[in-house]
Amino acid sequence: MAPGGDQKILGINAVRSALTNDPANVTLLELSGERGDKRAKELETLARNGGVAVVRVGRRELDQHGRGHQGAVAHYRSAEPLTEAALLTEL
């Protein structure tokens, strides 16, 4: 995936971390329509509180993102890369 593009974060713990630590860069949360447990509800609450759209989808849709999603996929906007000059300016 190109830097600055949309990346996917798969799995309950990884998605929770993104929603907790950087919700401004999470653009969408896809949750399995089959998951209604405490962990899925926690992710949904974190997303909604962070202003992140939440959609319930089927397992097939989630499987298209890769294995190990555990019923949760976050779409994440990664940072644009800095040039060497820009990085030195930041120091």
Side-chain angles (χ1 to χ4, degrees):
M1 180 66 51
D6 185 46
Q7 298 183 359
K8 308 299 184 290
I9 299 174
L10 282 65
I12 296 289
N13 292 329
V15 169
R16 182 187 311 112
S17 180
L19 290 170
T20 300
N21 296 304
D22 196 15
N25 283 310
V26 179
T27 59
L28 177 67
L29 172 62
E30 290 184 76
L31 283 175
S32 170
E34 301 167 8
R35 282 199 77 136
D37 60 22
K38 178 181 168 184
R39 294 170 73 186
K41 289 177 183 175
E42 176 191 11
L43 292 181
E44 188 167 6
T45 299
L46 284 170
R48 293 195 189 284
N49 289 345
V52 177
V54 178
V55 295
R56 292 285 183 158
V57 297
R59 180 160 292 281
R60 280 186 187 213
E61 288 90 345
L62 293 172
D63 286 345
Q64 292 176 4
H65 298 300
R67 301 184 84 179
H69 55 72
Q70 300 173 316
V73 174
H75 294 244
Y76 186 79
R77 179 180 43 244
S78 61
E80 293 291 331
L82 293 175
T83 63
E84 186 176 348
L87 183 59
L88 290 172
T89 304
E90 293 291 322
L91 297 176

